[in-house]
Amino acid sequence: MAVVIRLKRVGAKKDAAFRIVVADSRRARDGRFIDQLGYYDPQPRVAQYKVDVEKAKYWLGVGAQASDQVRSLLKKAGVALPSTPKKAKKADNAAPAKKTKGSAKKQASAREVARRLRKREHRADRRTVATKKKAVGAAKPAEAVAAS
């Protein structure tokens, strides 16, 4: 179960206030929660907030992930956030080459090459059928003239 610390919206329409809660990440934003850590009211000139520091430290210690807004509030409240390990970047040994008209054909997969070939053959078939129809259509008036 992934546990997150996030804001739960409470209050009236256009008069939002928030509770800082610990919840299962799969739950709805305003749904069931595990624990309440405090509140945040952004409406006054100076935003008001209160955080239970001990509970916050406990939940962060057991692996709960704080949302961006909650992380900001926790910093203001003086809660030391655990350092998150940054993802290692992939090695840029082989930088992708820029595509040009000539290189696009070289980089195409076998599947793409086969698709292009089928498409080309289909176009050629349509041309031959169209020319045969024109030839047949042009021959009929000549036959009609010869018959009369």
Side-chain angles (χ1 to χ4, degrees):
M1 172 170 68
V3 178
V4 294
I5 303 173
R6 63 179 172 209
L7 296 175
K8 176 180 180 174
R9 190 178 195 278
V10 294
K13 181 177 177 182
K14 298 198 179 203
D15 186 25
F18 299 91
R19 291 183 183 153
I20 302 170
V21 297
V22 178
D24 182 359
S25 64
R26 296 169 291 189
R27 293 277 178 194
R29 178 193 70 181
D30 299 336
R32 206 163 84 188
F33 59 91
I34 300 168
D35 197 4
Q36 182 174 335
L37 305 181
Y39 67 86
Y40 168 59
D41 188 6
Q43 294 299 329
R45 283 189 180 268
V46 178
Q48 299 174 350
Y49 62 93
K50 179 183 172 188
V51 178
D52 186 343
V53 177
E54 293 302 315
K55 282 185 180 181
K57 285 182 181 178
Y58 167 76
W59 283 108
L60 290 169
V62 295
Q65 297 294 315
S67 69
D68 294 338
Q69 184 65 43
V70 170
R71 188 176 292 119
S72 172
L73 290 170
L74 292 176
K75 281 183 186 177
K76 289 179 186 176
V79 177
L81 297 171
S83 62
T84 55
K86 293 185 178 181
K87 292 182 181 178
K89 291 185 179 180
K90 292 182 180 178
D92 291 336
N93 295 342
K98 292 183 178 179
K99 291 185 178 181
T100 60
K101 288 184 179 179
S103 66
K105 289 184 180 179
K106 292 177 186 175
Q107 293 177 356
S109 66
R111 187 176 187 176
E112 180 67 17
V113 171
R115 186 191 68 82
R116 288 179 187 166
L117 184 62
R118 284 193 310 271
K119 200 170 182 179
R120 190 176 303 133
E121 289 171 355
H122 181 68
R123 268 188 259 128
D125 289 343
R126 282 191 310 188
R127 277 190 224 117
T128 56
V129 169
T131 54
K132 286 180 183 177
K133 284 183 181 178
K134 285 181 183 177
V136 170
K140 283 185 180 178
E143 292 174 5
V145 172
S148 56

